[in-house]
């Protein structure tokens, strides 16, 4: 329902009719053209139509998946299954029994779940409210991702591995991209591959950043380009330039979206045949561009949240028609057992915008590629290898997926028409003094940017500020120190230093004049107090990487009892800790950022590594409030409320260490 519009404004979808005495009117979930179109296609048997339509008219259930490495994910799963699931069975609300959560049988390792409950139940029922609080905390901590069930399928079929170069052509809002990043990091904190997330809309690109930043991956690059004309990415190795061909590409293309009508009520009002007909060419262009950027032996997934064959099988067939035996559809019938699906179709009807049935011979302005393949083509194309998921099969949205593999390529495949390159600007040469002597830094100007966009400027590892950090935190030589960058016009480390993977540094430096970069890098060092030995602290975002490379007395062993003190006290004094060994080490260390390493007693649970500010008389755990609450619940079973804060302790010490408050993450 939309808010009241002004009397002189054009009435828009969902707006209240002021002639209706101020009452809200419910949107009618019906569309005669949609029903006529899909009944004629006969994809849904007549006996199942009413159930299919009724499902499309009901609310989409809440689904989520548990993320992280195996130990971490299993710990979160165990908490959900032991502390929440038993309490959600046989729950009665207003005289009705509420369905308990069920796992998605086709998602690996029981890590994806579905809750078919309304917001009213979640808000008013005590047990469901507790589960909602658990989900919110774990989502904030990055341990859970809320995502529509069918949206999880395409990334699973891409089979991303840590060394893969991955492109997501139409990434916003980012749930599938997050899944790709998680796969990249599934067996390694420091994968050698990367994920490039692209979206054509600048605003949606920045929304994408908001969604993906919580994953803290130095192997992620967000860019802003029209996927139909995605530029070739240049890299340089040993003085030789070449172009990137990707191991994995996801083309989840713009579509008419009738698979989303359970959550997007606009579809009921706006759906018409012209939507699919108008998008067909754009969808094909994105798919064929992806195929040109795919390496031999690589895999590409084409997907839509539409059931319309003009947007699905017709696009796939046209690609197979144009590429011949250089590509093939992959048979995924043995993948994701438990997923109820239908095969792709090789025959369908085409209607024009006026709902008139058309043929190839009498097609008017409709493109020939919108029509079904010939009998001979159908035998060769194997469109039955495509996947169709209908809403009523397992109470989900609707989705279409096709998986391609590339059998061959020519130089022509990889070199295609590009948008014209900007004329390169003059370079800026800068000389900087270091302990090791003068270093000359050359910075090329990038593409013209909006006033609010920040540049990406790499700084040498011998920069005096970085050298302080390497020494202070005992960072070993296995950590690649040459991939640090800043995002300010001066190119100097003044407030934040970021780090990216080596492969992404190569891409950023080699494509400043041809790509529009939106986001890359995780925060490595953040400026803190200037009156201490090292004015930089290690940011929490980079700890999953840095914990493997710090050989320093500033990494202190800590017991779970001491951790509990840090979690429940805002600024515990040294006297609050009962561990004399820990207190002795804290007193010996200079003021600044340190790290506590907590070994868990259970071999099935993940060890912890957390940042702490070490003051002259007290310490402070530097994690966000939501992360504090998540750790309290996960480690100690202590429940908190949404607005609850850490309990203030030792006000004198808090005043003395007042500057430390700005270091809270």
């Amino acid at each position: 329902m939309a808010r009241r519009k002004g009397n002189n404004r054009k009435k828009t979808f969902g707006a209240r009719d002021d002639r209706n005495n101020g009452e809200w009117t419910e949107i009618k979930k019906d569309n005669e053209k949609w029903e006529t179109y899909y009944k004629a296609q006969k994809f849904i048997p007549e006996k199942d139509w009413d159930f299919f339509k009724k499902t499309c008219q009901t609310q989409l259930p809440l689904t989520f998946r548990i993320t992280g490495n195996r130990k971490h994910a299993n710990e979160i799963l165990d908490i959900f299954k032991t502390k929440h699931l038993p309490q959600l069975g046989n729950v009665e609300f207003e005289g009705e029994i509420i369905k308990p959560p069920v796992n998605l049988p086709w998602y690996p390792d029981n890590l994806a779940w579905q809750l078919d409950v309304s917001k009213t139940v979640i808000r008013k029922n005590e047990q469901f409210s507790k589960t909602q609080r658990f989900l919110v905390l774990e989502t904030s901590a990055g341990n859970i991702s809320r995502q529509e069930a069918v949206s999880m399928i395409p990334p699973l079929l891409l089979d991303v591995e840590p060394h893969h170069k991955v492109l997501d052509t139409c990434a916003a809002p980012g749930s599938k991209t997050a899944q790709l990043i998680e796969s990249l990091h599934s067996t390694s904190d420091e994968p050698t591959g990367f994920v490039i997330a692209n979206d054509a809309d600048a605003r949606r690109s920045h929304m994408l950043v908001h969604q993906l930043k919580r994953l803290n991956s130095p192997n992620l690059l967000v860019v802003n380009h029209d996927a139909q004309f995605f530029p070739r990415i240049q890299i340089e190795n040993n003085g030789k330039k070449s172009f990137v061909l990707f191991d994995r590409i996801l083309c989840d293309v713009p579509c008419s979206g009738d698979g989303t009508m359970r959550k997007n009520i606009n579809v009921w009002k706006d759906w018409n045949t012209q939507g699919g007909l108008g998008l067909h060419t754009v969808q094909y262009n994105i798919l064929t561009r992806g195929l040109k950027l795919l390496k031999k032996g690589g895999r590409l997934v084409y997907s839509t949240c539409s059931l319309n064959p003009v947007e699905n099988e017709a696009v796939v067939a046209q690609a197979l028609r144009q590429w011949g035996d250089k590509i093939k559809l992959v048979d995924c019938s043995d993948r994701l057992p438990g997923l109820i699906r239908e095969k792709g179709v090789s025959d369908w009807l085409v209607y024009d915008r006026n709902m008139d049935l058309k043929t190839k011979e009498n097609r008017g302005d409709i493109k020939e590629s919108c029509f079904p393949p010939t009998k001979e083509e159908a035998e060769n194309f194997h469109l039955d290898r495509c996947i169709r998921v209908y809403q009523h099969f397992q109470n989900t949205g609707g989705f279409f997926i096709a998986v391609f593999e590339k059998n061959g390529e020519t130089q022509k495949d990889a070199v295609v028409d590009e948008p014209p390159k900007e004329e390169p600007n003059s370079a800026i040469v800068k000389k900087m003094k270091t302990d090791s002597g003068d270093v000359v830094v050359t910075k090329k100007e990038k593409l013209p940017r909006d006033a609010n966009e920040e540049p990406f400027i790499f700084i040498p590892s011998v920069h005096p500020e970085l050298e302080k950090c390497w020494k202070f935190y005992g960072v070993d030589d296995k950590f690649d120190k040459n991939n640090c960058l800043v995002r300010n016009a001066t190119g100097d480390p003044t407030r934040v230093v970021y780090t990216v993977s080596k492969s992404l540094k190569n891409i950023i430096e080699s494509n400043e004049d041809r790509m529009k970069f939106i986001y890359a890098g995780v925060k490595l060092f953040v400026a803190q107090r200037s009156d201490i030995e090292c004015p930089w602290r290690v940011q929490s975002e980079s700890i999953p990487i840095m914990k493997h490379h710090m050989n320093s007395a500033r990494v202190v062993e800590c017991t779970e009892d001491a951790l509990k003190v840090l979690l429940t006290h805002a600024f515990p004094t040294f006297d609050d800790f009962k561990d004399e060994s820990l207190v002795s080490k804290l007193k010996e260390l200079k003021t600044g950022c340190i790290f506590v390493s907590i070994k868990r007693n259970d071999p099935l649970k993940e060890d912890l590594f957390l940042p702490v500010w070490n003051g002259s008389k007290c310490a402070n755990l530097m994690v966000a409030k939501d992360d504090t609450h998540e750790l309290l619940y996960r480690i100690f079973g202590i429940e908190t409320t949404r607005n609850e804060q850490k309990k203030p302790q030792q006000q004198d010490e808090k005043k003395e260490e007042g500057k430390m408050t700005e270091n809270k993450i």
Side-chain angles (χ1 to χ4, degrees):
M1 309 296 178
R3 296 176 180 174
R4 181 194 297 267
K5 305 294 182 183
N7 291 334
N8 295 326
R9 295 180 185 177
K10 184 178 178 181
K11 186 179 176 184
T12 58
F13 169 73
R16 188 170 70 189
D17 190 337
D18 288 334
R19 296 171 298 176
N20 199 26
N21 299 322
E23 294 181 1
W24 293 97
T25 56
E26 186 175 352
I27 300 303
K28 185 179 180 181
K29 295 183 178 179
D30 217 334
N31 184 303
E32 185 179 351
K33 291 181 180 179
W34 170 81
E35 187 159 352
T36 300
Y37 184 80
Y38 281 109
K39 276 187 173 180
Q41 303 294 354
K42 297 182 179 179
F43 300 155
I44 311 296
E46 186 176 350
K47 65 181 179 63
D48 296 332
W49 178 264
D50 289 343
F51 181 41
F52 165 70
K53 182 178 178 181
K54 184 178 179 181
T55 304
C56 292
Q57 292 170 326
T58 58
Q59 180 182 343
L60 195 67
L62 166 68
T63 49
F64 67 89
R65 53 188 180 78
I66 301 170
T67 67
N69 62 50
R70 184 169 295 276
K71 269 191 176 183
H72 186 85
N74 285 340
E75 184 176 353
I76 304 300
L77 176 62
D78 183 65
I79 292 173
F80 177 70
K81 292 174 70 174
T82 58
K83 292 188 177 183
H84 293 270
L85 199 56
Q87 309 302 319
L88 300 179
N90 297 318
V91 173
E92 186 175 320
F93 182 77
E94 296 183 350
E96 293 186 10
I97 298 297
I98 306 301
K99 295 179 182 178
V102 294
N103 72 295
L104 302 180
W106 46 268
Y107 196 92
D109 304 319
N110 295 322
L111 292 176
W113 291 77
Q114 179 169 304
L115 281 77
D116 189 7
V117 295
S118 68
K119 293 180 179 179
T120 303
V121 173
I122 290 176
R123 186 173 63 251
K124 293 185 177 182
N125 179 270
E126 180 182 358
Q127 193 53 51
F128 272 100
S129 179
K130 288 183 178 180
T131 299
Q132 172 73 351
R133 170 67 176 163
F134 165 75
L135 295 178
V136 168
L137 281 179
E138 298 301 343
T139 300
S140 175
N143 301 330
I144 280 178
S145 287
R146 300 192 191 190
Q147 183 177 353
E148 189 176 347
V150 288
S151 174
M152 303 176 192
I153 300 171
L156 290 176
L157 295 179
L158 268 179
D159 292 334
V160 171
E161 298 180 12
H163 63 280
H164 282 156
K165 304 177 185 70
V166 185
L167 171 64
D168 189 347
T169 59
C170 311
S175 58
K176 298 180 191 69
T177 316
Q179 222 175 325
L180 298 174
I181 296 169
E182 290 159 16
S183 297
L184 197 74
H185 288 268
S186 59
T187 58
S188 172
D189 287 331
E190 300 177 81
T192 56
F194 56 80
V195 173
I196 295 180
N198 174 68
D199 201 85
D201 186 276
R203 183 182 62 86
R204 285 168 60 86
S205 296
H206 288 281
M207 289 172 56
L208 187 62
V209 172
H210 179 73
Q211 166 82 345
L212 300 176
K213 280 179 69 174
R214 64 187 179 86
L215 296 174
N216 300 331
S217 174
N219 304 71
L220 167 68
L221 175 63
V222 178
V223 298
N224 173 214
H225 292 278
D226 186 337
Q228 300 177 87
F229 312 105
F230 192 84
R232 287 181 295 159
I233 296 178
Q234 186 172 274
I235 54 174
E236 185 172 332
N237 290 311
N238 300 320
K240 295 183 178 180
K241 293 182 179 180
S242 60
F243 294 101
V244 172
L245 290 177
F246 293 89
D247 300 282
R248 299 289 187 266
I249 296 180
L250 175 60
C251 295
D252 186 55
V253 299
C255 66
S256 60
D258 54 38
T260 70
M261 58 195 349
R262 298 183 68 180
K263 64 178 182 179
N264 182 8
I265 200 168
N266 287 324
V267 176
W268 287 104
K269 172 182 175 289
D270 298 333
W271 190 93
N272 57 63
T273 53
Q274 184 57 34
L277 294 171
L279 286 165
H280 174 83
T281 299
V282 173
Q283 293 163 337
Y284 172 73
N285 288 345
I286 294 173
L287 171 57
T288 199
R289 182 59 183 163
L291 289 168
K292 288 175 180 176
L293 295 171
L294 189 67
K295 70 185 297 186
K296 183 178 180 180
R299 176 169 288 202
L300 180 150
V301 168
Y302 174 86
S303 61
T304 76
C305 49
S306 169
L307 305 179
N308 191 342
V310 171
E311 303 176 67
N312 297 329
E313 286 90 348
V315 174
V316 171
Q318 180 65 358
L320 293 166
R321 191 176 290 123
Q322 296 297 319
W323 285 77
D325 60 3
K326 288 193 291 184
I327 61 172
K328 68 174 182 179
L329 282 176
V330 179
D331 182 1
C332 295
S333 58
D334 61 340
R335 298 291 308 276
L336 310 184
L339 176 67
I340 304 172
R341 69 195 92 178
E342 279 288 350
K343 297 178 179 179
V345 298
S346 293
D347 191 26
W348 57 87
L349 302 176
V350 179
Y351 290 81
D352 67 9
R353 70 178 66 202
N354 298 316
M355 288 299 292
D356 293 329
L357 185 62
K358 294 295 182 178
T359 64
K360 280 186 181 180
E361 295 73 26
N362 180 31
R363 59 188 175 88
D365 60 354
I366 297 176
K367 287 189 172 295
E368 185 175 355
S369 55
C370 292
F371 291 84
T374 64
K375 183 178 179 181
E376 182 181 358
E377 285 178 329
E379 291 176 353
N380 294 327
F381 289 171
H382 301 291
L383 294 176
D384 59 311
R385 293 177 179 175
C386 300
I387 297 172
R388 286 179 158 266
V389 180
Y390 296 123
Q391 289 91 324
H392 65 302
F393 281 172
Q394 49 234 315
N395 197 16
T396 65
F399 226 74
F400 173 88
I401 308 104
V403 183
F404 291 88
E405 278 189 1
K406 194 170 185 181
N407 302 321
E409 63 189 14
T410 65
Q411 184 64 21
K412 186 178 179 180
D413 296 334
V415 181
V416 297
D417 292 337
E418 299 183 73
K421 290 192 293 185
E422 297 286 340
E423 195 69 29
N425 295 311
S426 58
I428 297 175
V429 179
K430 182 178 181 181
K431 184 180 285 189
M432 177 184 60
K433 280 195 171 292
T434 72
D435 294 340
S436 309
D438 290 348
V439 175
V440 175
V441 181
T442 302
K443 178 176 77 71
K444 290 190 296 183
E445 286 286 350
K446 302 184 176 77
L447 286 173
R449 297 183 178 276
D450 295 336
N452 294 328
E453 290 187 67
E454 298 173 323
F456 294 76
I457 303 175
F458 286 90
I459 53 178
S461 63
V462 294
H463 192 289
E465 294 300 313
L466 288 183
E467 288 186 321
K468 291 177 185 176
C469 299
W470 309 140
K471 181 179 179 181
F472 188 72
Y473 293 111
V475 181
D476 63 30
D477 291 335
K478 292 181 180 179
F479 177 75
D480 197 333
K481 302 172 184 176
N482 296 306
N483 304 328
C484 295
L485 63 92
V486 294
R487 300 210 60 189
N488 60 62
T490 68
D492 292 318
T494 55
R495 182 172 173 270
V496 180
V497 175
Y498 300 83
T499 184
V500 298
S501 65
K502 181 178 180 180
S503 53
L504 286 187
K505 179 189 178 184
N506 193 341
I507 288 174
I508 293 171
E509 288 191 317
S510 302
N511 296 274
E512 293 174 315
D513 60 343
R514 65 174 59 214
M515 298 192 73
K516 186 176 181 182
F517 303 120
I518 302 296
Y519 170 84
V522 296
K523 291 181 180 179
L524 178 60
F525 300 122
V526 177
Q528 53 188 9
R529 289 168 51 177
S530 59
D531 58 342
I532 56 178
E533 181 177 341
C534 181
W536 299 88
R537 61 178 169 85
V538 177
Q539 182 75 357
S540 287
E541 295 176 15
S542 63
I543 284 181
I545 308 166
M546 294 298 289
K547 68 182 181 181
H548 302 296
H549 299 288
M550 288 190 288
N551 301 306
S552 167
R554 304 196 74 79
V555 178
V556 178
E557 294 290 335
C558 176
T559 64
E560 288 192 7
D561 288 340
L563 173 62
K564 190 174 183 179
V565 173
L566 287 166
L567 288 168
T568 54
H569 292 63
F571 291 89
T573 67
F574 294 155
D575 293 338
D576 291 323
F577 297 102
K578 307 303 179 184
D579 187 336
E580 293 184 3
S581 175
L582 173 63
V583 171
S584 176
K585 291 177 181 177
L586 293 178
K587 289 181 177 179
E588 290 176 4
L589 292 172
K590 296 180 180 179
T591 298
C593 182
I594 67 169
F595 304 88
V596 291
S597 175
I598 301 99
K599 304 294 182 183
R600 311 284 291 282
N601 297 326
D602 189 337
L604 299 178
K605 294 181 179 179
E606 186 182 40
D607 293 336
L608 301 174
F609 195 93
L610 302 169
V612 170
W613 180 269
N614 187 48
S616 59
K617 297 180 181 179
C618 64
N620 178 40
L621 186 65
M622 295 192 295
V623 299
K625 182 183 76 172
D626 283 348
D627 291 341
T628 298
H629 293 175
E630 191 275 335
L631 287 167
L632 280 170
Y633 183 70
R634 175 155 59 100
I635 311 301
F636 303 105
I638 298 175
E639 296 183 6
T640 57
T641 62
R642 181 177 181 179
N643 297 321
E644 189 171 345
Q645 302 284 343
K646 286 184 180 180
K647 183 179 179 182
Q649 294 287 330
Q650 305 298 337
Q651 294 300 320
D652 292 340
E653 264 63 12
K654 184 173 181 178
K655 187 178 295 185
E656 178 184 338
E657 302 289 346
K659 293 181 182 180
M660 288 165 29
T661 57
E662 66 189 43
N663 296 312
K664 291 286 289 177
I665 296 173

